[in-house]
Amino acid sequence: MAAKLLIEPQSGIELPEGAPRPASRPTGGSPLKAMNRESQVRSVAVLLFLLTVAAVIFAGFNLNSEWKVQVPDDGVWWVEQGGHLTADRIDPNGPGAKSGIKPGDQLLSINGQEVQNISGLERQLYRNGIWSKAAYSLLRQSVPLDSSVILVPAERSLNNWLRLIALIYLGIGLYVLLRRWTAPGSTHFYIFCLVSFIAYSFKYTGKLNDFDWTIYWGNIAAGVLQPALFLHFVLTFPEKRETVRKHPWLQTLVYVPAAMLLAAHITAMQWLQASERLRWNLDRMEMSYGSFFFLVAAVVLWYSYRHASTTILRQQLKWVTRGTILAIVPYTLFYVVPYLMGALPGATMKVSALSLALLPLTFGYAIFRYRLMDVDLIFKRGVVYTVAAAIVLGLYFGLVTGVALLVHNWRPSSGPVGLILAVVVTALLFDPVRKWIQDRIDQFFYRTRYDYRRTLLEFGRELSSETNLNTLLSSLIDRLSRTLAVDRMAIFLAGEETGKFVPAKSFGMSVPGNIDLAFLSAPRPGEAGHLFFENTHQVPRETPEAQQAIARLDLNYYIPCHAQQKTVAVLGLGKTTKGDFLSSEDMELLETLGGYLGVAIQNGQLYSSLQQKVAEYERLKDFNENIVESINVGVMALDMEDRIESWNAQMEVMYAVPRWQTLTQPLKAIFPAEFVEEFARMRQDAGIRNLYKFRLKTPAGEVRTVNVAIAPLVTRKFQVIGRLVIMDDITERVELEVQLSQADKLSSIGLLAAGVAHEVNTPLAVISSYTQMLSKQLQGDPQKTSLLEKITRQTFRASEIVNNLLNFSRTSGSEIGDVDVNKVIAETLALLEHQFKVAKVEVQNALEPKLPAIQGNAGRLQQVFLNLFLNAKDAMPGGGTLRVATLNGESVSVCVSDTGTGIAPENIQRIYDPFFTTKTSPREGQARGTGLGLSVTYGIIQEHAGKIRVESNPGAGTTFVLEFPLSKKAVPSKAEYV
């Protein structure tokens, strides 16, 4: 925006109402008017000079005062309410929060001095000083309390950054003003920069002496005036808007809100009772007003940018518009809006204020980036070229004179012939000198681009040596962007269909994937070798689809690249980074380069096609290898000397030996002797041989059950070159077969038990009934009564066995729901507490407090734990320790351990068989075992979709581990069991 002031005078840019206007060259009128204009110029210069010096001096003293005066702060925002100060908001990391002050607390006094308003609070804080302890008397919900607060220096780091922004504003304003004092609008722009400097650099310290009051009111006045000045400036830039031209009073209306806000401040200070909430509301009004005016200014700038008539003006407006948006939007969203909603300035809000620096920085960038358009700099360049031409002529005539003197001294009688000879010799010798001077001048002005005309064609010839198409295009983009200094570029390659092009590489732009590029191959009469669009948004001769594509690409030049009479690519370029079009010499070089580029692209495509075929062959090879690596059987290839040549991933997993340790090793060095003997026996026979359920010992100490297939490894000509060994690990399958056999056995016994139980229950009931009747009739005969009681007990025991058989053989129809395993275990232990005490068994439980629930039946699970606990008690005839633990993981686990006699290895596989028991000769206090306890337990756990496993060593105790799946809606246990 400010750069426009350096180009040329523009009419229609207005100054603020009442501001003195800079002088311009008088075109007519009386000498008195000219003198008045000069007087105005001097008055404005003196006034601005005095204001600038005063502002800088005041800002310096203000900064010095701020460094010397440390403002104490307690981290609490106090507001006047009901004659007292009330804590409205508290900094979470501030002294107030650390000392326990909470929102809503009323402040009664500090260090015994009553405090009723903000001014009294400030006086007490200054008296106390920083890093000292202040005794706060508070009232919290009618309860008096005291708190000690260590005061800290107020956070004012943001002020330093704002002062840096103020210096940037002042520097840019002085630069514009000193460079083009008479340019229309320069005074207005400088006043805006000076006001911004005051608004960002004046920060009152809180002492509120005369100097501090001056700083305060200067900051207030500049703060309300800055947005109005900026909006006024953009309304008249680059020329006065039609609305403003029709209604001049709008320029005055811009300053009305600023005047009203300033009047509101003065009224609040003079006639209203000052309070913290009043100050906060005034600050909110100022922020809302400033953000609104700046956003309106950004919209006006965007409109000017979209309707700019010249390239340079569009470039200037682009940076200024984007800078204004990037400066105002973050500050508004992250500082103003939260502040208006009542948030205290935090770290994020303070950082967002730094975006305000983008506004002057983009002004400065627009000025310095496009300074080559200045008239005075163009004049300087003309002077340099003039001086260079004078030097060339001087050297030329000097050489002519020198050669003529040499010829005259050598041949004094040569006369005019010698002079002519001197001129000819000088002309022949001077041409290299002239070119050298011209090259130095071009180097001075074009810097790194002065010799690109010599290197660009050499680069084009070298393109054919590059075979990688992507590298070729990247190198081309990089070289052209540096040598031609274009802002955007794209390369479009010919597609498989004739006349179709696709984007391949771009620079400074993003090419849409769905764009229609048919205009690149459209026939055009009188084609000039390339396409040129001066205005990409106005191409009336093109079709609507082409107009849309050209506008979206925004490229001005399209150079075809030919190879073998075909267009293999199109090179698209925009303007230079300075907004200029390319020269005709540039276009000639690019058209020449297009021929080299077409050949290079065609070579790259052919090489890419060849690479694609090679990659396809490699992919097929990898695919075949991946098949071998991915199958779930081990594959091993041996040569004729039984050395391992191949070892797939499944072999690594199954045999627990990595591939690198097996390759080239003999078979006997890797596998145990039993397998080597079987392999040697089977390899003697031709054809495929199988080895079923071979127990293979691995180096990890495991025994794996495998099915082995050994086949000859032959070539396409059926020549045997080795052996192929395939190992299928069936260890888990065998284990599943064993479990299935166990399940079938239990199912069969269950069916048998169901039939027997119904037949036995009836006679048992008859025997029990008649025995009890006889017992009542023979109560006087002790001997017979004892015999009848024994018959009754044995009848009940037989009935219990029958009931256990029924429970084992049928699925319970009991209700299924969420079960707290800890609770079931605790209740079961409580039932057996007396038996454990008599048997001298110590119970240790380690129940997980927050154990999730499982799906099941509490009664059936209690039967499981009852059987396990009783078996553990019986396994410890002399007493011992029973440990019960629960764990929470992917499932709910229960661990029941005892320190008893353990289970013999030969019996470990039979403990779940019905009627299998080791309690055939029960000890004193034990009952004879029925052999159905663990069978019933196994069935109940299967009903609950659980698992059970046992670990036992003779003499070292037994451990049963039960695992149950989690309930779909698992909840922690509500009770803890100790």
Side-chain angles (χ1 to χ4, degrees):
M1 182 186 302
K4 182 66 179 178
L5 305 174
L6 305 179
I7 301 173
E8 59 183 8
Q10 294 281 341
S11 62
I13 301 182
E14 298 291 332
L15 298 180
E17 292 295 329
R21 299 178 179 272
S24 59
R25 187 185 300 265
T27 57
S30 64
L32 182 59
K33 292 183 178 180
M35 292 178 62
N36 289 336
R37 291 194 182 95
E38 283 189 9
S39 177
Q40 288 180 1
V41 169
R42 291 192 185 96
S43 300
V44 170
V46 171
L47 179 60
L48 291 180
F49 175 79
L50 293 177
L51 287 176
T52 303
V53 173
V56 172
I57 293 175
F58 273 58
F61 278 111
N62 178 225
L63 177 61
N64 184 58
S65 176
E66 187 174 280
W67 283 349
K68 290 181 179 180
V69 178
Q70 293 288 341
V71 178
D73 181 43
D74 58 3
V76 182
W77 187 38
W78 301 96
V79 296
E80 291 89 350
Q81 185 176 347
H84 295 283
L85 291 181
T86 302
D88 191 87
R89 295 175 183 83
I90 299 176
D91 183 1
N93 300 318
K98 294 179 180 178
S99 62
I101 300 177
K102 297 182 179 179
D105 291 353
Q106 291 184 359
L107 178 62
L108 302 179
S109 63
I110 298 178
N111 296 333
Q113 299 293 325
E114 186 179 3
V115 176
Q116 295 182 346
N117 49 40
I118 293 297
S119 59
L121 173 65
E122 294 292 336
R123 283 194 297 270
Q124 293 301 323
L125 294 182
Y126 272 100
R127 288 174 184 172
N128 209 72
I130 63 172
W131 305 121
S132 59
K133 186 182 295 184
Y136 278 47
S137 296
L138 305 172
L139 187 65
R140 180 182 298 167
Q141 296 179 354
S142 303
V143 178
L145 53 90
D146 295 327
S147 178
S148 297
V149 181
I150 299 178
L151 303 179
V152 298
E155 174 62 32
R156 297 185 295 187
S157 59
L158 181 61
N159 291 351
N160 297 328
W161 292 104
L162 292 177
R163 287 188 174 97
L164 177 61
I165 297 173
L167 289 175
I168 296 174
Y169 267 108
L170 185 61
I172 292 175
L174 287 173
Y175 176 85
V176 174
L177 190 67
L178 296 177
R179 286 292 300 272
R180 295 299 300 274
W181 165 258
T182 58
S186 61
T187 306
H188 188 166
F189 180 73
Y190 179 72
I191 293 174
F192 165 70
C193 291
L194 181 60
V195 169
S196 301
F197 171 79
I198 296 173
Y200 294 136
S201 63
F202 281 24
K203 304 294 177 184
Y204 71 96
T205 60
K207 296 177 65 176
L208 297 180
N209 51 20
D210 292 339
F211 177 78
D212 212 29
W213 277 114
T214 304
I215 293 296
Y216 175 82
W217 285 111
N219 175 266
I220 294 298
V224 299
L225 187 59
Q226 182 199 23
L229 281 171
F230 186 71
L231 181 57
H232 183 189
F233 184 79
V234 300
L235 285 174
T236 57
F237 180 83
E239 60 183 7
K240 190 178 296 184
R241 298 289 179 272
E242 185 67 25
T243 305
V244 177
R245 192 178 296 112
K246 291 182 179 179
H247 307 286
W249 52 269
L250 288 176
Q251 300 177 71
T252 305
L253 185 63
V254 169
Y255 295 91
V256 171
M260 294 175 62
L261 277 175
L262 186 59
H265 266 281
I266 297 174
T267 302
M269 289 296 179
Q270 296 296 329
W271 291 283
L272 296 180
Q273 182 180 0
S275 66
E276 183 66 9
R277 193 172 295 278
L278 176 61
R279 181 199 62 80
W280 182 58
N281 288 330
L282 288 174
D283 289 345
R284 293 168 68 189
M285 290 173 59
E286 286 185 14
M287 285 189 177
S288 302
Y289 149 78
S291 297
F292 176 76
F293 268 46
F294 273 111
L295 290 174
V296 172
V299 172
V300 174
L301 283 174
W302 179 259
Y303 179 85
S304 301
Y305 164 69
R306 299 294 296 177
H307 295 81
S309 57
T310 62
T311 302
I312 183 61
L313 180 59
R314 183 179 179 86
Q315 292 290 346
Q316 294 165 352
L317 284 174
K318 177 180 70 174
W319 290 106
V320 173
T321 303
R322 294 178 181 177
T324 303
I325 294 173
L326 292 177
I328 299 305
V329 171
Y331 173 70
T332 302
L333 292 179
F334 300 108
Y335 195 102
V336 176
V337 173
Y339 192 85
L340 295 179
M341 297 176 66
L344 288 176
T348 304
M349 295 174 63
K350 292 178 180 179
V351 170
S352 67
L354 300 181
S355 65
L356 295 173
L358 293 175
L359 189 61
L361 287 176
T362 51
F363 276 35
Y365 181 83
I367 293 170
F368 289 97
R369 179 64 184 82
Y370 299 103
R371 64 187 183 277
L372 292 182
M373 297 302 295
D374 283 356
V375 177
D376 54 349
L377 190 57
I378 295 174
F379 174 75
K380 290 180 183 178
R381 178 174 292 184
V383 171
V384 171
Y385 274 114
T386 302
V387 173
I391 293 173
V392 170
L393 291 176
L395 289 174
Y396 181 78
F397 288 111
L399 285 174
V400 169
T401 304
V403 173
L405 289 175
L406 289 175
V407 173
H408 179 72
N409 292 332
W410 178 49
R411 294 289 184 182
S413 60
S414 58
V417 177
L419 182 59
I420 294 172
L421 180 62
V423 171
V424 173
V425 173
T426 303
L428 294 175
L429 295 176
F430 187 73
D431 187 64
V433 177
R434 181 192 59 79
K435 290 182 180 179
W436 181 85
I437 295 174
Q438 185 65 42
D439 288 342
R440 299 288 79 77
I441 293 175
D442 287 342
Q443 182 179 6
F444 177 79
F445 286 113
Y446 293 103
R447 303 294 180 185
T448 58
R449 293 184 58 225
Y450 81 100
D451 60 343
Y452 82 92
R453 290 174 176 84
R454 292 185 298 176
T455 60
L456 197 57
L457 291 178
E458 295 176 2
F459 169 71
R461 299 187 186 99
E462 296 171 358
L463 284 176
S464 300
S465 62
E466 179 59 59
T467 55
N468 186 286
L469 185 58
N470 186 57
T471 304
L472 167 68
L473 298 179
S474 299
S475 176
L476 176 67
I477 289 287
D478 178 67
R479 179 63 66 92
L480 289 180
S481 63
R482 286 189 291 107
T483 54
L484 296 178
V486 292
D487 60 348
R488 49 202 294 119
M489 184 189 318
I491 299 177
F492 308 95
L493 297 181
E496 296 180 357
E497 299 181 14
T498 305
K500 297 292 184 180
F501 289 89
V502 294
K505 189 74 73 173
S506 62
F507 165 79
M509 60 181 295
S510 178
V511 181
N514 58 346
I515 194 168
D516 184 8
L517 300 175
F519 72 94
L520 295 178
S521 57
R524 302 174 187 276
E527 194 167 352
H530 67 272
L531 295 178
F532 171 66
F533 302 105
E534 182 177 1
N535 188 342
T536 57
H537 296 276
Q538 294 181 3
V539 282
R541 296 185 179 181
E542 302 293 332
T543 62
E545 295 79 9
Q547 291 179 9
Q548 183 180 6
I550 294 169
R552 292 175 66 184
L553 291 173
D554 198 19
L555 297 173
N556 302 91
Y557 302 92
Y558 294 91
I559 297 94
C561 304
H562 301 288
Q564 296 180 350
Q565 307 300 321
K566 293 192 305 181
T567 302
V568 297
V570 174
L571 178 63
L573 301 97
K575 298 177 184 177
T576 66
T577 54
K578 299 176 183 179
D580 299 328
F581 292 110
L582 299 177
S583 65
S584 58
E585 186 177 10
D586 294 333
M587 296 311 302
E588 291 177 2
L589 289 171
L590 287 172
E591 289 179 2
T592 305
L593 181 65
Y596 297 113
L597 181 59
V599 175
I601 289 177
Q602 190 178 51
N603 292 341
Q605 289 175 334
L606 293 174
Y607 183 76
S608 177
S609 176
L610 180 61
Q611 280 187 320
Q612 185 177 0
K613 292 185 179 300
V614 172
E616 186 176 351
Y617 287 125
E618 291 290 336
R619 185 182 62 82
L620 290 174
K621 178 183 176 183
D622 293 340
F623 181 74
N624 293 331
E625 293 179 354
N626 290 337
I627 293 176
V628 176
E629 291 292 325
S630 301
I631 57 178
N632 60 352
V633 296
V635 178
M636 174 178 59
L638 308 175
D639 61 8
M640 296 302 294
E641 297 179 358
D642 291 342
R643 292 183 179 275
I644 299 174
E645 296 293 335
S646 177
W647 183 275
N648 75 339
Q650 184 62 26
M651 285 295 298
E652 292 182 304
V653 175
M654 180 184 67
Y655 199 61
V657 177
R659 180 180 296 138
W660 63 271
Q661 290 184 3
T662 61
L663 297 180
T664 70
Q665 297 295 321
L667 188 69
K668 61 182 179 181
I670 302 299
F671 287 91
E674 298 86 355
F675 178 78
V676 175
E677 291 176 0
E678 289 291 336
F679 176 80
R681 180 180 61 82
M682 299 177 66
R683 75 187 298 271
Q684 303 300 327
D685 301 330
I688 301 176
R689 292 292 178 266
N690 294 295
L691 185 63
Y692 294 105
K693 292 188 178 181
F694 182 80
R695 296 178 61 81
L696 180 67
K697 296 180 180 179
T698 67
E702 298 179 335
V703 177
R704 314 295 295 180
T705 303
V706 296
N707 287 337
V708 184
I710 303 174
L713 184 63
V714 298
T715 63
R716 290 184 177 182
K717 297 181 179 180
F718 301 100
Q719 180 183 357
V720 178
I721 58 174
R723 292 288 185 276
L724 188 65
V725 181
I726 301 175
M727 294 186 179
D728 185 9
D729 186 359
I730 60 171
T731 305
E732 295 182 358
R733 190 191 311 167
V734 171
E735 293 178 356
L736 290 175
E737 290 175 354
V738 172
Q739 294 180 10
L740 182 61
S741 175
Q742 178 73 13
D744 290 340
K745 185 190 300 182
L746 292 176
S747 177
S748 301
I749 294 176
L751 294 175
L752 175 64
V756 171
H758 287 292
E759 296 297 329
V760 172
N761 260 336
T762 301
L764 285 177
V766 173
I767 294 172
S768 176
S769 298
Y770 283 108
T771 303
Q772 293 179 22
M773 293 172 60
L774 288 173
S775 178
K776 289 181 180 180
Q777 295 176 3
L778 300 175
Q779 291 182 355
D781 191 343
Q783 183 177 4
K784 294 180 180 180
T785 301
S786 175
L787 292 174
L788 291 174
E789 288 178 353
K790 289 182 180 180
I791 294 173
T792 301
R793 285 198 302 271
Q794 294 301 318
T795 304
F796 283 136
R797 183 172 182 273
S799 178
E800 181 183 358
I801 293 174
V802 170
N803 289 332
N804 285 336
L805 283 173
L806 285 174
N807 289 335
F808 172 75
S809 62
R810 69 190 177 193
T811 301
S812 176
S814 302
E815 181 181 357
I816 300 296
D818 287 345
V819 177
D820 187 342
V821 176
N822 284 347
K823 183 178 179 181
V824 174
I825 293 174
E827 292 176 352
T828 307
L829 291 175
L831 291 174
L832 301 176
E833 182 178 0
H834 177 72
Q835 296 189 39
F836 287 151
K837 184 182 296 185
V838 173
K840 298 180 181 180
V841 174
E842 179 186 358
V843 178
Q844 297 179 352
N845 58 25
L847 304 182
E848 176 69 27
K850 298 180 179 180
L851 194 69
I854 67 171
Q855 285 286 319
N857 181 271
R860 303 282 282 165
L861 290 176
Q862 188 174 27
Q863 184 178 357
V864 169
F865 296 128
L866 188 66
N867 291 336
L868 294 178
F869 295 163
L870 289 176
N871 287 345
K873 178 183 74 70
D874 294 342
M876 298 180 288
T881 301
L882 172 65
R883 187 176 186 276
V884 183
T886 57
L887 299 173
N888 180 19
E890 295 181 356
S891 60
V892 173
S893 301
V894 181
C895 182
V896 180
S897 304
D898 62 59
T899 57
T901 57
I903 303 174
E906 61 272 13
N907 295 331
I908 201 76
Q909 300 294 333
R910 303 179 58 195
I911 59 175
Y912 301 116
D913 291 349
F915 305 108
F916 174 78
T917 180
T918 58
K919 301 176 186 178
T920 54
S921 300
R923 303 179 183 89
E924 184 180 355
Q926 292 183 355
R928 178 184 177 87
T930 62
L932 292 175
L934 287 178
S935 297
V936 172
T937 297
Y938 183 86
I940 294 173
I941 292 175
Q942 291 295 316
E943 291 176 6
H944 288 74
K947 299 178 181 179
I948 183 172
R949 67 177 186 273
V950 61
E951 299 174 1
S952 180
N953 292 317
T958 303
T959 299
F960 282 90
V961 179
L962 286 67
E963 295 181 0
F964 299 97
L966 296 174
S967 175
K968 293 182 179 179
K969 297 182 179 179
V971 293
S973 176
K974 296 183 180 179
E976 295 182 1
Y977 304 94
V978 180

